[in-house]
Every structure is written in C-alpha cells, then in structure tokens.
Amino acid sequence: QVQLVESGGGLVQAGGSLRLSCAASGSIFSIDAMGWYRQAPGKQRELVALITSGGSTNYADSVKGRFTISRDNANTTVFLQMNGLKPEDTAVYYCNANVNHRTWLRNYWGQGTQVTVSS
C-alpha cells in the first residue's frame, strides 16, 4: 500500500502565500503523474495542478500565474506553492498520485488539508 501525507494548509489573508507538501511512502516502484485537487463546500472536486514524472505541468485557468507545482528529485514528494491567494481558493486540497507497482498501476489520494483564505 501507499500513503500520501499532506501538510502545509492553514488560514491566510487574501494576497498571502502557502506551500503545500505531499509525501508518498510505501510499496512504490515509481510514480507517474502527481497532482493537487481541491473541493470547496457544495462544489465538485477539481484539478488544481498536475506534474508528470518528466516535469511537464498543467494548471487550472483559475490558478495560472499564481500557483506553482513541483516535485523533489526522488519524485516521491510534490509541492504546491500558492501565491496571491484569494478567498475563492478556500477549499480542502487533496494530493493525488498514479503509482506504478511494477506490474500494475493504482491511483491514490491523500487525506486532504484545509486551506482557508480570509478577505
């Protein structure tokens, strides 16, 4: 099994910054894409940012230019640097990873971390 442990959420004023981290551990051969999703109350979960093992990135239009996704050299930890935060960024942020177990692939989710942006 694989565990994704997120950290870095919290309360911040509009215009502020936060940095989320997600570390993967367990029975891992390699990890393909890793990403961050978010879910606000009463809304569906949506993609925020995605990064492949090769370093290609993809962002939701709403966060382009403000958020940056990155991975460590071991490709087991993903970060989300969030600058210029807005109240509409308030949500539970979830880490996601496509893990290669050598002969099979499985998608995993973290437990979520709350990000609250006050106006």
Side-chain angles (χ1 to χ4, degrees):
Q1 290 297 320
V2 172
Q3 295 77 43
L4 301 180
V5 178
E6 299 132 333
S7 60
L11 173 64
V12 65
Q13 288 188 333
S17 298
L18 284 173
R19 180 177 169 89
L20 304 182
S21 299
C22 171
S25 63
S27 179
I28 299 170
F29 177 71
S30 65
I31 301 179
D32 295 336
M34 297 186 78
W36 290 95
Y37 291 72
R38 67 186 180 188
Q39 187 167 18
K43 295 187 177 181
Q44 289 188 333
R45 191 173 297 189
E46 62 176 2
L47 174 67
V48 176
L50 194 70
I51 185 167
T52 68
S53 57
S56 297
T57 58
N58 187 36
Y59 295 93
D61 288 342
S62 60
V63 307
K64 283 180 181 177
R66 300 187 297 122
F67 291 10
T68 302
I69 190 170
S70 61
R71 290 171 72 158
D72 69 339
N73 289 336
N75 269 334
T76 57
T77 302
V78 64
F79 307 96
L80 186 67
Q81 178 66 44
M82 304 185 293
N83 299 327
L85 283 161
K86 305 175 181 180
E88 51 264 42
D89 294 319
T90 295
V92 178
Y93 283 69
Y94 296 92
C95 176
N96 181 271
N98 285 325
V99 177
N100 183 353
H101 291 281
R102 189 185 295 271
T103 60
W104 53 288
L105 298 173
R106 181 176 174 181
N107 187 261
Y108 292 88
W109 290 94
Q111 79 284 357
T113 185
Q114 178 70 46
V115 171
T116 303
V117 184
S118 62
S119 58

